């Protein structure tokens, strides 16, 4: 997630430049046919652009509102995970009567966080993080930690060899780790190293973590409805393609009130104005597309690795450990 004041206009122009090139062609063709070849019949009524633009603005606004809500929900869930993780660290530090059990439970929880964020970074066919524009921006401005470091490498200092191999061999890694936590709590209770109320509270916290995992998995595995995404893109491109045909006659009429160098050539002004208006719609559509999947590895994602790094520092500090991860990244950067 970008935490600087704003994106710059230069970043936006570079990010959308490929679509801008297409818009230039779409705008230049009608102007050339109208002005050079005299095909004035190609001009469409201005009311067509008004009606289509109104419909497009509604559907683009609806999509952006829904995709923004998905991102907000993802941020809320991860805020809950942060709070529950802190609480887990506190009760694991205080409830068991042996320090070794506290370290085991906290390290295993850090492993669960690591597994969860790696799971959420796995690609889906509907995601846009690997589109040319987004991949180019990622290569230039930030990196995705889950793409750089294998999961097994990150789990090595957190889990024993036996548990790490068990996790690697299953497709339900997060669920397995929570199950191991529950088994450990049962064993501690059986050995009378946990009071009954403490055991109940720890098991309740595991249930909360399981619920939070299910919520982020739902956001990951159920995208913004494809029918709305498809019709949104079709509407925007139809508007971008038809707008120049509606503007050529409007600018041609200005020739009667213009003298000098531009006299008789006002039609060519339809090209930049068509590109500008269509670019606004296409940029909104591209922003919505890059926002709808908050865990895909884009610049607008929830900064899971940054949050997990902060949690790890706090929980390891509770245990009195000294080999802490580096401090959080400073402001004015993209955090993932």
């Amino acid at each position: 997630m970008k935490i600087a004041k704003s994106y710059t206009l230069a970043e936006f122009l570079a990010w959308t430049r490929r679509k801008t090139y297409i818009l230039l062609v779409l705008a230049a063709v009608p102007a050339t046919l109208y002005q050079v070849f005299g095909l004035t019949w190609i001009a469409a009524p201005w009311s067509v652009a008004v009606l289509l633009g109104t419909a497009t603005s509604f559907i683009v606004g609806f999509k952006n509102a829904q995709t923004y809500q998905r991102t907000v929900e993802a941020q809320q869930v991860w805020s809950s995970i942060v709070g529950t993780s802190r609480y887990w660290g506190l009760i694991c530090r205080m409830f068991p009567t042996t320090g070794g059990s506290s370290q085991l439970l906290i390290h295993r929880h850090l492993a669960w966080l690591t597994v969860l964020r790696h799971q959420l970074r796995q690609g889906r066919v509907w995601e846009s993080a690997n589109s040319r524009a987004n991949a180019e921006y990622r290569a230039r401005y930030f990196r995705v930690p889950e793409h750089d470091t294998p999961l097994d490498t990150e789990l090595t200092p957190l889990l024993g060899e036996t548990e790490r191999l068990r996790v690697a061999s299953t497709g339900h890694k997060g669920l397995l780790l929570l199950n191991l936590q529950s088994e450990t709590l049962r064993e501690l209770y059986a050995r009378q190293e946990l009071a009954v109320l403490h055991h109940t509270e720890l098991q309740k916290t595991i249930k909360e973590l399981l619920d939070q995992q299910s919520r982020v998995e739902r956001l990951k595995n159920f995208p913004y409805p494809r029918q709305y995404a498809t019709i949104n893109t079709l509407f925007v491109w139809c508007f971008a393609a038809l707008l120049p045909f509606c503007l050529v006659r409007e600018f041609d009429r200005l020739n009667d009130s213009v003298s000098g160098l531009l006299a008789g050539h006002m039609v060519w002004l339809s090209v930049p104005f068509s590109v500008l208006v269509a670019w606004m719609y296409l940029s909104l559509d591209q922003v919505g597309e890059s926002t709808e999947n908050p865990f895909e590895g884009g610049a607008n994602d929830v900064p899971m690795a940054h949050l997990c790094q902060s949690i790890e520092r706090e929980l390891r500090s509770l245990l009195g450990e000294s080999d802490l991860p580096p401090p959080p990244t400073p402001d004015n950067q993209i955090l993932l």
Side-chain angles (χ1 to χ4, degrees), residues 76-330:
Q76 291 172 343
V77 177
W78 268 95
S79 294
S80 299
I81 291 175
V82 170
T84 307
S85 297
R86 287 169 176 162
Y87 181 61
W88 176 262
L90 289 174
I91 59 180
C92 286
R93 182 72 178 84
M94 300 301 297
F95 288 175
T97 58
T98 57
S101 299
S102 298
Q103 185 182 54
L104 172 64
L105 292 170
I106 290 177
H107 280 198
R108 194 183 283 148
H109 178 73
L110 296 176
W112 175 78
L113 289 171
T114 303
V115 164
L116 183 61
R117 61 184 173 84
H118 273 266
Q119 174 186 335
L120 295 176
R121 290 292 188 218
Q122 294 175 1
R124 298 291 187 271
V125 67
W126 56 80
E127 293 178 343
S128 61
N130 290 324
S131 66
R132 291 183 66 184
N134 290 335
E136 180 184 78
Y137 189 87
R138 180 174 65 245
R140 234 181 125 181
Y141 292 102
F142 67 96
R143 66 180 186 86
V144 181
E146 292 78 17
H147 295 173
D148 294 341
T149 308
L151 174 60
D152 191 65
T153 301
E154 294 198 44
L155 291 180
T156 298
L158 300 174
L159 298 175
E161 182 69 15
T162 303
E163 285 191 4
R164 187 172 58 82
L165 292 177
R166 283 188 64 185
V167 170
S169 64
T170 182
H172 306 284
K173 296 177 173 58
L175 181 60
L176 173 62
L177 286 169
L178 292 179
N179 179 64
L180 291 173
Q181 296 281 61
S182 183
E183 289 180 354
T184 299
L185 295 179
R186 184 179 60 186
E187 293 171 1
L188 291 175
Y189 178 69
R191 297 198 302 264
Q192 297 184 348
E193 296 182 19
L194 273 180
V196 60
L197 292 179
H198 294 169
H199 176 262
T200 302
E201 186 64 20
L202 285 162
Q203 293 286 9
K204 179 183 176 182
T205 306
I206 289 179
K207 180 182 180 299
E208 292 179 11
L209 293 171
L210 186 59
D211 289 342
Q212 291 159 0
Q213 178 178 331
S214 299
R215 290 179 64 188
V216 294
E217 287 176 345
R218 175 179 59 82
L219 288 169
K220 178 68 177 181
N221 296 322
F222 293 90
Y224 178 73
R226 295 296 86 194
Q227 66 271 29
Y228 290 113
T230 302
I231 198 66
N232 183 87
T233 302
L234 287 175
F235 271 38
V236 171
W237 278 109
C238 284
F239 175 74
L242 289 176
L243 181 62
F245 289 92
C246 300
L247 286 181
V248 287
R249 180 172 291 165
E250 298 299 319
F251 278 94
D252 186 40
R253 290 172 180 169
L254 298 177
N255 286 318
D256 298 334
S257 57
V258 174
S259 59
L261 186 63
L262 292 177
H265 302 286
M266 293 297 291
V267 171
W268 295 111
L269 288 179
S270 67
V271 175
F273 282 96
S274 296
V275 171
L276 176 61
V277 175
W279 176 82
M280 293 169 61
Y281 279 83
L282 284 167
S283 295
L284 281 173
D285 179 56
Q286 191 166 331
V287 166
E289 184 182 39
S290 68
T291 308
E292 65 180 87
N293 302 300
F295 306 124
E296 65 181 1
N300 301 306
D301 275 18
V302 176
M304 296 185 294
H306 178 73
L307 294 174
C308 290
Q309 185 183 65
S310 298
I311 295 171
E312 183 174 357
R313 286 181 59 85
E314 294 174 3
L315 298 190
R316 284 182 179 271
S317 296
L318 282 177
L319 294 173
E321 298 181 2
S322 57
D323 55 334
L324 303 178
T329 309

